[in-house]
Amino acid sequence: MFGKVHEIYSSISGEGISQGIPTVFVRFAGCSLRCGKTQDKKLWCDTPYALGPNQGEEVSISEILRKIDNLDPNHRFQILCTGGEPLEGENGKKTYELADQVFASRSSLNSPYPKIRVETNGKEKLSLEAPVVYTMDYKLPGSGMESEMNLGNLFILEKRHNSLDEIKFVVRDRIDFQRSLEVISENKINLNLLYSPVHEELDAKELIEWLKKDTPPNARLSLQIHKFLWGNQKGV
């Protein structure tokens, strides 16, 4: 059931529409998906060290808040819950409790980021009303995890009408890209769309050409700038 935190640290947001923003990361431990590990292909998860539920430690909400305040005493940073998977099992309870408390306190402090951002894998049901901003993956065929996607989340995101919510497609090959276009069309998606190439498998320049040709609506290329700055180093 998880409910454990692997690490809390400050850096910048590495991807998506919040790229470059000073951010406090709360990384939960545990995720039931294993993206990319299909046949002779390798696992492509950025944080394999946080996939197991025993990789983290039990941390209370008050302790998480204390650590956030120590890293961001002026309440000017974005707070981002990630993983692992921050919405799976007990992780989800902690994430939403944290979101409620952060929103209550930061709304009165005139913080630029009163809502935490939640990076989630698309399997766990999203909340319509929670005071959060979502970055939700839609796992394409190359991940081997498309069958785990909760399609109801696409309708929840549309109903939320939050201009900061986003859907991320991690693309392994042309088949993945074509499938993303089908998902957008079939579900009439009108949200921020992120396209990221699988690191060291798909050339970003090739993905750019596909985006230029097919022009999915509200789409942008999203490269992980933290990898350019620090490689696969943890805690940055």
Side-chain angles (χ1 to χ4, degrees):
M1 291 294 287
F2 314 151
K4 295 182 178 180
V5 174
H6 185 275
E7 57 186 342
I8 300 174
Y9 63 95
S10 63
S11 185
I12 59 166
S13 177
E15 56 189 312
I17 62 176
S18 69
Q19 186 179 74
I21 292 175
T23 299
V24 175
F25 290 80
V26 179
R27 185 179 305 285
F28 286 88
C31 178
S32 61
L33 301 189
R34 294 296 181 268
C35 299
K37 196 172 178 59
T38 60
Q39 298 177 355
D40 59 338
K41 301 290 187 178
K42 64 181 181 179
L43 184 76
W44 71 45
C45 181
D46 290 336
T47 55
Y49 52 83
L51 289 179
N54 295 322
Q55 300 302 313
E57 297 179 354
E58 294 282 353
V59 183
S60 67
I61 294 295
S62 60
E63 179 65 7
I64 294 173
L65 289 169
R66 185 187 68 79
K67 291 184 176 183
I68 290 172
D69 286 344
N70 286 342
L71 292 167
D72 177 27
N74 296 318
H75 308 101
R76 308 298 292 175
F77 287 23
Q78 172 185 241
I79 299 171
L80 191 152
C81 288
T82 184
E85 170 49 48
L87 296 185
E88 190 165 353
E90 294 297 318
N91 289 355
K93 294 180 182 179
K94 279 192 172 177
T95 293
Y96 286 128
E97 183 178 346
L98 179 65
D100 287 338
Q101 295 199 31
V102 166
F103 184 71
S105 63
R106 289 198 166 201
S107 293
S108 63
L109 295 171
N110 200 30
S111 169
Y113 305 107
K115 296 182 179 181
I116 65 173
R117 180 172 287 279
V118 177
E119 288 187 342
T120 182
N121 62 21
K123 176 183 177 182
E124 306 304 319
K125 184 178 180 180
L126 305 185
S127 168
L128 183 61
E129 305 295 341
V132 301
V133 177
Y134 287 116
T135 298
M136 190 196 82
D137 280 19
Y138 184 93
K139 304 298 185 184
L140 297 166
S143 71
M145 296 289 122
E146 188 177 15
S147 63
E148 299 291 337
M149 293 299 92
N150 185 335
L151 294 178
N153 284 336
L154 300 175
F155 299 102
I156 290 172
L157 288 174
E158 288 289 350
K159 288 181 181 178
R160 281 168 51 85
H161 297 298
N162 189 314
S163 63
L164 298 178
D165 286 344
E166 55 192 9
I167 296 174
K168 180 170 70 173
F169 295 111
V170 179
V171 179
R172 181 169 240 166
D173 51 29
R174 180 68 197 188
I175 294 173
D176 273 0
F177 184 76
Q178 192 61 41
R179 176 57 183 153
S180 78
L181 300 178
E182 293 171 358
V183 171
I184 294 166
S185 176
E186 290 168 0
N187 296 281
K188 299 179 174 59
I189 295 173
N190 183 29
L191 294 160
N192 298 304
L193 301 178
L194 310 178
Y195 277 85
S196 299
V198 174
H199 189 58
E200 297 182 338
E201 289 198 38
L202 176 63
D203 189 335
K205 293 189 289 293
E206 187 170 8
L207 179 54
I208 289 169
E209 293 303 314
W210 299 342
L211 288 169
K212 286 164 58 179
K213 180 178 182 296
D214 291 283
T215 58
N218 304 314
R220 69 185 73 194
L221 181 73
S222 179
L223 300 180
Q224 298 173 307
I225 60 173
H226 49 285
K227 288 187 177 178
F228 292 96
L229 294 170
W230 298 292
N232 287 320
Q233 185 177 337
K234 292 171 59 177
V236 293

